[in-house]
């Protein structure tokens, strides 16, 4: 049996080493509300050229956050993925990786 200390240490190390990209829990709302929330809460704006059919990448240079949003035909939008440590120069690579 491992001591509790080592279990906690292992868990802490795993949390530090996890990738910054996280698949979000499906959060959906009317598209206008989603966009207002991304702007107001995170300071995110659409990343020019980082869109695909019905999908838009939002990001903030100031906060370092990013959100990939999927727009649905019924006027709602859903968060597909989100993360931190935004690096704008890699937007095209990030969008390509998330689209797979």
């Amino acid at each position: 049996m491992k001591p509790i200390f080592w279990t906690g240490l292992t868990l802490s190390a795993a949390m530090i080493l996890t990738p910054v990209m996280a698949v979000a829990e499906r959060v959906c709302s009317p598209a206008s509300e989603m966009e207002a929330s991304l702007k107001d809460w995170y300071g995110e704006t659409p990343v020019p050229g980082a869109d695909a059919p019905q999908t838009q990448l939002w990001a903030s240079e100031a906060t370092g956050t990013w959100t990939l949003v999927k727009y649905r035909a019924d006027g709602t939008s859903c968060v597909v993925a989100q993360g931190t440590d935004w690096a704008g120069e890699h937007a095209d690579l990030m969008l390509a990786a998330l689209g797979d």
Side-chain angles (χ1 to χ4, degrees), residues 9-43:
L9 184 61
T10 303
L11 180 59
S12 296
M15 289 171 50
I16 290 170
L17 297 175
T18 46
V20 284
M21 183 174 67
V23 175
E25 195 175 306
R26 279 288 170 160
V27 175
C28 300
S29 67
S32 59
E33 289 179 23
M34 176 73 70
E35 292 173 358
S37 296
L38 292 173
K39 290 176 187 175
D40 295 343
W41 296 349
Y42 303 104

Side-chain angles (χ1 to χ4, degrees), residues 2 6-7 10 12 14 27 35 40 43 48 50 59 65 69-70 78 80-81 97:
K2 291 182 182 178
W6 287 112
T7 303
T10 303
S12 296
V27 175
E35 292 173 358
D40 295 343
T65 61
V69 177
K70 179 86 170 177
C78 299
V80 177

Side-chain angles (χ1 to χ4, degrees), residues 52-73:
Q54 294 92 31
T55 306
Q56 177 65 55
L57 183 61
W58 291 68
S60 170
E61 296 286 335
T63 64
T65 61
W66 59 268
T67 307
L68 183 63
V69 177
K70 179 86 170 177
Y71 291 88
R72 298 180 359 188

